[in-house]
Amino acid sequence: MTKAESDIDTVLDETRKEGNRVIHRKVILVPESSKFPDGVKYEFHHGTLDGETLLRYDNAHGQHEKHIGDSVEKIEYPGIVELYEQFANKIEGT
């Protein structure tokens, strides 16, 4: 295991399927860097099993983004806990 691999810690990785919908939540602690200055890489995804994105928040490319369908917009990052709660509230009851 390399030093970089030992500095990575997956703290949340869960996927739930309900009917044609899928909810995926992943949070990884990574070394702080220019790409991930907070030391967190995340993806909160709500979509369909057919591959449609209904709502996703992620920072896979080093910027905080909100995806709806094919639309992508940069967002202000409120912190991982706040973003997780915002995601959960938006998809609740869907």
Side-chain angles (χ1 to χ4, degrees), residues 5-89:
E5 290 172 329
S6 68
D7 288 343
I8 295 173
D9 185 21
T10 301
V11 295
L12 175 66
D13 189 1
E14 64 182 29
T15 301
R16 187 176 83 223
K17 296 176 184 173
E18 295 178 359
N20 188 40
R21 302 210 177 197
V22 62
I23 298 168
H24 179 72
R25 298 173 173 117
K26 189 169 191 173
V27 177
I28 303 171
L29 301 181
V30 298
E32 291 180 8
S33 65
S34 60
K35 188 173 181 179
F36 302 108
D38 297 312
V40 177
K41 182 176 179 182
Y42 64 87
E43 177 184 354
F44 303 136
H45 175 81
H46 178 218
T48 69
L49 294 176
D50 302 327
E52 179 184 2
T53 297
L54 303 173
L55 174 64
R56 182 173 72 242
Y57 292 102
D58 70 42
N59 66 339
H61 304 290
Q63 59 188 10
H64 303 283
E65 298 175 334
K66 176 181 177 181
H67 303 252
I68 297 177
D70 293 331
S71 170
V72 180
E73 74 178 74
K74 291 181 185 178
I75 61 166
E76 289 294 321
Y77 179 63
I80 195 65
V81 172
E82 293 84 355
L83 190 60
Y84 180 90
E85 291 172 351
Q86 182 178 331
F87 174 76
N89 288 335

